[in-house]
Amino acid sequence: MGLARASRRRLLPADRVTLTRAVATCGVAALVGGQLLGASSGREGSSPLVALASVALLLDAVDGRVARRTGTVHPLGARFDMETDAFLILVLAVDVAPDLGWWVLGVGGARYLLLLVVLAGRWAPWLRGQVPARRWRKVVAAYQGVALTMAAAHILPTYIGGVLVALGLALLAVSFGTEVRTLRALSAPADPDRDAAPACRDLPPAGLEAGALP
């Protein structure tokens, strides 16, 4: 359906990389579901889970480069990448929540909370705007998956894993807050007096043609 809406018939090279990530993420989801149903203990299921999650995280650094190198950057591919990231973070949050606390679901649900905010844009249209891309936001998003995977691997004491994930939640809150503030600022009406003053200063002196100025 997404391909049809984008008037495309096939996946681009970067999309195939993202599709591989999506398959690995579905594998992580299946393992987490098995643990929740009692099919395996957390320790028994953590090794394949961490392996699949690590593959998905490593490929996250590949699909963007492939898109840029092949000149096939496309909004659909970016959206596919974003939603794959969000689903991986959600299932990892569900996996570590029994150990760290259910507050961890705040990390996994952040993307879906943002979607609800966009739906609220019916009453606040400025929420539907676009903010300029910032590298630090991408770093914050990548950090979530790394921190949750480390917590799921049980290679660190539980409290350290909790601190790492809590830091990720705090960074998400900052990222979300600054994004909303930027959208609000971009939607603010321009001050006509402030905009007019520089224009007046740029006008040539009376009686002179603009083209005669040096």
Side-chain angles (χ1 to χ4, degrees):
M1 183 178 294
L3 288 174
R5 290 181 177 177
S7 301
R8 285 169 43 188
R9 296 183 177 180
R10 59 185 178 84
L11 295 175
L12 299 175
D15 297 333
R16 297 189 182 98
V17 177
T18 307
L19 180 60
T20 303
R21 292 179 52 228
V23 171
T25 299
C26 289
V28 174
L31 291 171
V32 172
Q35 292 179 13
L36 292 177
L37 295 175
S40 61
S41 67
R43 294 287 181 178
E44 292 174 355
S46 64
S47 295
L49 185 152
V50 170
L52 286 174
S54 299
V55 169
L57 291 173
L58 289 173
L59 290 178
D60 189 24
V62 175
D63 50 9
R65 292 184 178 182
V66 171
R68 289 188 293 271
R69 287 181 179 274
T70 58
T72 55
V73 176
H74 193 278
L76 177 62
R79 182 64 180 269
F80 188 17
D81 176 64
M82 182 188 305
E83 299 303 337
T84 301
D85 288 341
F87 186 58
L88 176 62
I89 292 171
L90 176 62
V91 295
L92 288 173
V94 172
D95 178 66
V96 302
D99 294 328
L100 302 183
W102 293 103
W103 58 267
V104 177
L105 295 181
V107 177
R111 165 62 184 166
Y112 304 99
L113 175 61
L114 182 60
L115 290 178
L116 290 177
V117 170
V118 171
L119 289 178
R122 293 172 56 187
W123 296 276
W126 57 271
L127 288 172
R128 292 180 176 270
Q130 294 291 329
V131 297
R134 293 290 184 267
R135 182 175 295 275
W136 72 270
R137 289 197 181 99
K138 296 180 180 180
V139 173
V140 168
Y143 175 85
Q144 311 306 316
V146 173
L148 288 168
T149 300
M150 293 180 66
H154 303 292
I155 58 177
L156 298 172
T158 301
Y159 74 92
I160 294 182
V163 169
L164 293 176
V165 177
L167 176 60
L169 181 58
L171 290 173
L172 273 180
V174 172
S175 178
F176 180 78
T178 56
E179 186 169 344
V180 171
R181 185 176 64 182
T182 301
L183 286 173
R184 187 59 176 171
L186 291 174
S187 68
D191 185 351
D193 294 333
R194 184 184 62 184
D195 294 340
C200 292
R201 287 195 299 266
D202 292 336
L203 290 175
L208 292 178
E209 295 292 339
L213 293 177

